[in-house]
């Protein structure tokens, strides 16, 4: 398995005229300080920020208006990433910088390709699969000082841009989902999208058929099927051929426009209801729920009620309002087209009426026998006008074509359903129940070993049998012993990535493992595990306050000691600025 290792971090602030640069060892790195507020956490967060993640940075940091360069290697290839705000650029050793205006999209695709990260997640709006931002790759490799110890898989911000992503991402990292699964998931999502489009077209066709029925005149005679009509048609074909074609075309347009109108009106009602419900949801979360989490009384699932989630509701509402505005705009356009088409139809009918005055056919009178004297009586005589005949022909022609189109589309939907079922069946065969059992058993064994090594055996782990049981681990945490159990979980997942993962293995970054004021003995066990039990190929960046129990780690590690001047130095500004400007690409020792 290839490894990602951070090589160098450069930070520059033109507004404060300060900068700094840090180089990292390929194995163990200790980032330490005597004072706890000099920027240890910020340093490692800037590594992730610089590569495209969104760690929680101090609000004061934003005032520095800084930019970064992150150099990292994957095996022997060196990559360099520059970031300023959301503008980011990437280059390889022998290439030029390629600039990207945002993190998502093409940059995320390129970085995922470098990191062999094949996971895909569905877009909230379209449902189509897309490459998630870099944060979703780095989740198992970073333990944040504040967020990670209280909630698993929550190291970065802006993760809720995708819904219900945790199970998918966890499964991919530990090998329960393969790259092939996401190839098939992408095909399935595309077919579902096409099926949805065709189903919407079928609904329009149903509306069109109803409208056509309203436009077809009911003629209670057989004139359109008799020889009389053939003679009649021959006599008037020169006058009516173009008119008939025009009217059929106009009728077709009217039925299509009416279908679009009805469909858009239905979408308007649905969207207005969605906006109303989202507004109610937001008010409910604000006015009725004070906690950051709420448990569903039916299924027991705990849902977040954080500011981010409430903001997500308002974002969804804003998207729905934009959709409603788009629907109303399209509806206005359709109504305009419908008005114009009806004017054309009226003109065509007036032309037909003029011809109708010229050509009138009388049906033969109906004859019956009087019951009393058996004499014949004339019941009625009907006049058939060409307007009705032509509209009947045009309407039935449209109806025939529409029905044919409906049959084809229904068959297409059935085909899509069959193909989607086939893809789902193929996905289930990618990982067998035996594979799942092996991976879960391996996790349980590794987790138990780490629990023992960290002396956290008093924590009840009997119900923790899968990497997906992270909430149970957090629930058991809280005290010093619980924090060691949480660390054991993260290290277990990291080991599982190395053993079963389908991606480049990243450096492991741990921010302050001495949580809940660990005892000297237990802190020593943590440090011993990180020093001696991680793979020799693994790069470890450990943030910690100066402590005598770090000595065994310190002996093998590169030491980065931050002073009271904090992270940024005025003395480094000119030197680092030259590197940003491309004048001095060589690394300097710090």
């Amino acid at each position: 398995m290839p490894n990602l290792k951070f090589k160098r971090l450069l930070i520059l602030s033109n507004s404060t005229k300060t900068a700094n640069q840090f180089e990292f060892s390929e194995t163990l790195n200790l980032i330490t300080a005597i004072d706890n507020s000099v920027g240890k956490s910020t340093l490692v967060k800037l590594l992730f920020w610089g590569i495209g993640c969104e760690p929680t940075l101090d609000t004061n940091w934003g005032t520095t208006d800084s930019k970064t360069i992150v150099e990292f290697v994957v095996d022997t290839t060196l990559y360099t990433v520059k970031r300023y705000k959301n503008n980011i650029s990437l280059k390889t050793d022998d290439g030029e910088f390629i600039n990207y205006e945002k993190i998502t999209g093409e940059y995320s695709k390129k970085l995922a390709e470098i990191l062999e990260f094949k996971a895909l997640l569905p877009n909230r709006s379209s449902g189509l699969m897309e490459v998630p931002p870099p944060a979703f790759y780095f989740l198992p490799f970073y333990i944040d000082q504040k967020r990670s110890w209280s909630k698993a898989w929550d190291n970065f911000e802006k993760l809720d841009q995708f819904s219900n992503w945790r199970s998918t991402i966890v499964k991919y990292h530990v090998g329960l989902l393969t790259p092939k699964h996401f190839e098939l998931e992408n095909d399935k999502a595309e077919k579902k999208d096409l099926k949805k489009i065709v189903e919407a077209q079928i609904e329009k066709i149903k509306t069109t058929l109803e409208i056509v029925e309203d436009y077809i005149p009911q003629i209670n005679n057989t004139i359109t099927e008799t020889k009389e009509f053939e003679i009649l048609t021959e006599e008037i074909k020169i006058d009516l051929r173009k008119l008939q074609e025009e009217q059929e075309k106009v009728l077709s347009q009217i039925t299509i426009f009416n279908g679009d109108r009805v469909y858009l009106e239905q979408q308007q009602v649905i969207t207005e209801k969605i906006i109303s419900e989202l507004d109610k949801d937001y008010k409910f979360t604000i006015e009725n729920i004070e906690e950051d989490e709420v448990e569903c009384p039916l299924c027991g699932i705990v849902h977040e009620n954080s500011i981010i989630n409430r903001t997500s509701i308002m974002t969804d509402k804003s998207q729905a309002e934009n959709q409603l505005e788009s629907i109303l705009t399209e509806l206005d356009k359709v109504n305009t087209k419908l008005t114009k088409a009806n004017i054309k139809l009226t003109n065509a009918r007036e032309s037909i009426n003029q011809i109708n005055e010229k050509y009138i056919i009388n049906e033969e009178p109906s004859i019956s026998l009087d019951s009393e004297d058996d004499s014949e009586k004339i019941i009625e005589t009907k006049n058939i006008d060409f307007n009705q005949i032509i509209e009947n022909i045009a309407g039935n022609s449209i109806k025939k074509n529409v029905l044919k189109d409906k049959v084809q589309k229904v068959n297409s939907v059935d085909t899509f359903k069959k193909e989607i079922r086939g893809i789902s069946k193929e996905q289930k065969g990618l990982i067998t129940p035996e594979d799942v059992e092996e991976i879960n058993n391996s996790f349980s064994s590794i987790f138990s070993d780490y629990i023992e090594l960290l002396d956290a055996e008093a924590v009840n782990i009997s119900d923790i049998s899968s990497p997906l049981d992270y909430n149970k681990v957090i629930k058991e945490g809280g005290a010093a012993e619980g924090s060691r159990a949480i660390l054991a979980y993260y290290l277990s997942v990291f080991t599982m990535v190395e053993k079963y993962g389908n991606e480049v293995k990243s450096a492991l970054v741990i921010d302050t493992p001495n949580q809940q004021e660990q005892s000297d003995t237990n802190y020593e066990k943590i440090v011993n595990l990180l020093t001696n039990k991680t793979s020799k190929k693994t790069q470890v960046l450990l943030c910690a306050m100066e402590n005598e129990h770090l000595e065994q780690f310190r002996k093998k590690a590169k030491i980065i000691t931050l002073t009271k001047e904090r992270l940024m130095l005025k003395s480094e500004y000119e030197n680092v600025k030259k590197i940003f400007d491309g004048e001095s690409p060589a690394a300097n020792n710090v």
Side-chain angles (χ1 to χ4, degrees):
M1 174 181 283
N3 287 266
L4 177 152
K5 296 185 178 182
F6 293 108
K7 189 173 182 65
R8 185 165 62 148
L9 168 67
L10 299 99
I11 316 165
L12 178 72
S13 171
N14 287 320
S15 61
T16 63
K17 296 292 190 293
T18 58
N20 214 336
Q21 59 174 312
F22 304 92
E23 291 184 13
F24 305 99
S25 161
E26 292 187 358
T27 53
L28 304 183
N29 296 268
L30 176 62
I31 302 168
T32 187
I34 298 174
D35 189 337
N36 196 30
S37 60
V38 296
K40 301 187 304 299
S41 297
T42 302
L43 192 157
V44 294
K45 285 179 179 182
L46 287 175
L47 274 175
F48 292 110
W49 183 86
I51 210 167
C53 303
E54 299 298 333
T56 305
L57 288 162
D58 191 301
T59 53
N60 292 329
W61 182 256
T63 62
T64 65
D65 195 35
S66 297
K67 58 183 72 174
T68 61
I69 291 178
V70 175
E71 294 176 350
F72 65 94
V73 293
V74 175
D75 277 355
T76 59
T77 303
L78 174 67
Y79 298 91
T80 304
V81 183
K82 283 185 180 181
R83 181 175 179 182
Y84 176 61
K85 296 185 177 179
N86 282 330
N87 296 316
I88 200 161
S89 56
L90 169 70
K91 84 175 184 72
T92 57
D93 236 348
D94 54 352
E96 298 292 328
F97 274 106
I98 298 175
N99 298 317
Y100 303 89
E101 293 182 355
K102 59 180 182 177
I103 307 298
T104 56
E106 292 305 314
Y107 171 77
S108 293
K109 289 180 183 178
K110 182 60 180 177
L111 191 64
E113 180 184 325
I114 293 170
L115 302 176
E116 300 178 21
F117 183 60
K118 304 297 178 62
L120 301 174
L121 292 171
N123 181 283
R124 275 184 180 268
S125 300
S126 67
L128 295 175
M129 306 301 289
E130 60 184 48
V131 177
F136 291 86
Y137 162 77
F138 283 106
L139 279 166
F141 306 117
Y142 172 48
I143 303 176
D144 178 70
Q145 182 181 18
K146 294 181 179 180
R147 300 168 70 114
S148 299
W149 299 97
S150 58
K151 184 176 181 181
W153 302 93
D154 190 44
N155 325 19
F156 303 106
E157 296 180 343
K158 299 183 180 180
L159 297 176
D160 286 333
Q161 59 188 285
F162 298 98
S163 60
N164 303 319
W165 56 266
R166 282 182 175 80
S167 175
T168 299
I169 293 299
V170 174
K171 285 181 178 180
Y172 175 75
H173 280 300
V174 301
L176 288 169
L177 291 177
T178 66
K180 182 65 176 177
H181 170 88
F182 293 100
E183 291 179 22
L184 295 172
E185 192 68 19
N186 188 55
D187 291 342
K188 187 164 69 174
E190 289 177 353
K191 293 186 185 300
K192 283 183 177 180
D193 187 58
L194 290 172
K195 180 173 78 71
K196 183 179 177 181
I197 292 171
V198 175
E199 286 173 337
Q201 292 172 344
I202 290 173
E203 289 302 313
K204 287 185 179 181
I205 288 172
K206 290 179 181 178
T207 304
T208 299
L209 288 171
E210 294 173 0
I211 294 168
V212 168
E213 288 293 342
D214 292 337
Y215 272 89
I216 298 176
Q218 303 300 315
I219 301 177
N220 298 317
N221 60 79
T222 59
I223 190 167
T224 58
E225 299 175 2
T226 63
K227 190 173 181 179
E228 256 185 77
F229 183 68
E230 293 177 9
I231 297 170
L232 177 65
T233 304
E234 186 64 28
E235 289 177 355
I236 65 172
K237 64 182 179 181
I238 295 175
D239 294 330
L240 291 179
R241 181 181 293 127
K242 290 184 179 179
L243 201 56
Q244 179 180 339
E245 291 173 354
E246 180 184 349
Q247 180 161 292
E248 182 171 340
K249 179 181 177 181
V250 174
L251 275 170
S252 178
Q253 290 176 339
I254 288 174
T255 52
I256 291 171
F257 294 153
N258 267 308
D260 289 343
R261 176 182 58 79
V262 172
Y263 176 75
L264 288 168
E265 287 174 347
Q266 292 171 346
Q267 294 301 306
Q268 177 187 350
V269 171
I270 293 170
T271 306
E272 287 174 344
K273 185 176 180 181
I274 290 172
I275 292 170
S276 175
E277 293 300 322
L278 286 170
D279 193 51
K280 291 177 182 177
D281 287 346
Y282 182 77
K283 288 181 180 178
F284 183 80
T285 61
I286 294 296
E287 298 172 0
N288 297 283
I289 304 175
E290 297 180 357
E291 296 82 4
D292 287 337
E293 292 184 342
V294 58
E295 182 175 346
C296 175
L298 298 178
C299 64
I301 295 176
V302 176
H303 299 278
E304 294 182 28
N305 185 39
S306 63
I307 293 175
I308 294 174
N309 288 88
R310 293 196 288 269
T311 303
S312 176
I313 293 174
M314 297 308 294
T315 300
D316 290 342
K317 180 186 174 186
S318 177
Q319 291 174 344
E321 288 172 341
N322 291 338
Q323 180 68 17
L324 178 61
E325 184 179 350
S326 176
I327 289 170
L328 293 174
T329 300
E330 288 302 313
L331 187 58
D332 185 60
K333 291 179 181 178
V334 168
N335 284 329
T336 300
K337 291 177 181 178
L338 192 57
T339 300
K340 291 179 180 179
N342 276 313
I343 291 172
K344 288 183 180 179
L345 181 61
T346 300
N347 293 336
R349 283 175 170 169
E350 288 176 355
S351 298
I352 291 172
N353 286 331
Q354 291 174 4
I355 296 174
N356 202 42
E357 293 174 0
K358 185 177 178 182
Y359 299 101
I360 296 292
I361 280 186
N362 292 327
E363 269 198 327
E364 292 185 6
S366 302
I367 306 297
S368 70
L369 294 176
D370 189 274
S371 58
E372 295 180 358
D373 56 10
D374 293 332
S375 61
E376 293 183 344
K377 286 188 176 181
I378 297 175
I379 302 301
E380 61 177 333
T381 300
K382 291 182 180 177
N383 288 335
I384 307 299
D385 64 57
F386 295 115
N387 193 6
Q388 288 182 320
I389 295 171
I390 293 171
E391 288 190 6
N392 186 272
I393 295 170
N396 279 300
S397 175
I398 294 169
K399 184 178 178 181
K400 181 179 178 181
N401 291 332
V402 169
L403 283 170
K404 182 179 178 181
D405 189 33
K406 180 184 176 183
V407 170
Q408 292 175 340
K409 284 181 167 49
V410 169
N411 290 336
S412 294
V413 169
D414 290 339
T415 300
F416 285 133
K417 288 180 178 178
K418 184 177 179 181
E419 291 174 343
I420 290 168
R421 287 195 299 268
I423 292 172
S424 296
K425 184 177 180 181
E426 186 177 352
Q427 285 177 309
K428 289 180 180 178
L430 295 174
I431 295 289
T432 66
E434 291 76 18
D435 295 330
V436 174
E437 184 178 7
E438 178 192 339
I439 290 172
N440 284 335
N441 287 341
S442 179
F443 168 80
S444 294
S445 175
I446 294 167
F447 183 54
S448 295
D449 288 344
Y450 281 133
I451 287 290
E452 183 177 352
L453 287 169
L454 293 172
D455 194 18
E457 293 172 290
V459 174
N460 181 10
I461 64 170
S462 59
D463 290 336
I464 302 168
S465 57
S466 161
L468 298 172
D469 291 333
Y470 48 86
N471 280 332
K472 296 177 183 178
V473 180
I474 297 296
K475 185 178 180 180
E476 295 296 334
E481 196 162 56
S483 295
R484 297 199 299 279
I486 293 170
L487 178 60
Y489 172 80
Y490 289 131
L491 294 175
S492 299
V493 170
F494 181 80
T495 305
M496 293 291 288
V497 173
E498 187 173 31
K499 189 173 182 180
Y500 294 103
N502 296 284
E503 62 202 88
V504 171
K505 188 185 74 172
S506 173
L508 176 62
V509 180
I510 303 177
D511 191 358
T512 316
N514 191 16
Q515 297 291 315
Q516 301 292 334
E517 297 182 354
Q518 300 289 332
S519 68
D520 291 345
T521 301
N522 287 327
Y523 190 35
E524 191 170 345
K525 288 178 180 178
I526 292 172
V527 174
N528 178 62
L529 189 155
L530 296 175
T531 307
N532 302 312
K533 299 298 182 180
T534 53
S535 168
K536 302 301 180 184
K537 295 181 180 180
T538 299
Q539 183 186 41
V540 178
L541 280 72
L542 177 64
C543 295
M545 291 290 295
E546 288 284 4
N547 188 298
E548 60 181 334
H549 298 294
L550 290 170
E551 188 59 30
Q552 57 178 317
F553 190 91
R554 173 186 282 275
K555 287 179 180 178
K556 297 181 179 181
K558 175 166 184 173
I559 312 301
I560 298 175
T561 302
L562 300 180
T563 67
K564 61 182 180 180
E565 294 179 292
R566 300 176 66 88
L567 204 59
M568 305 289 279
L569 305 173
K570 290 186 178 295
S571 59
E572 284 290 325
Y573 176 71
E574 291 298 333
N575 186 36
V576 173
K577 187 175 185 300
K578 289 179 181 179
I579 300 173
F580 272 85
D581 294 340
E583 297 176 20
S584 177
N588 293 324
N589 292 326
V590 260

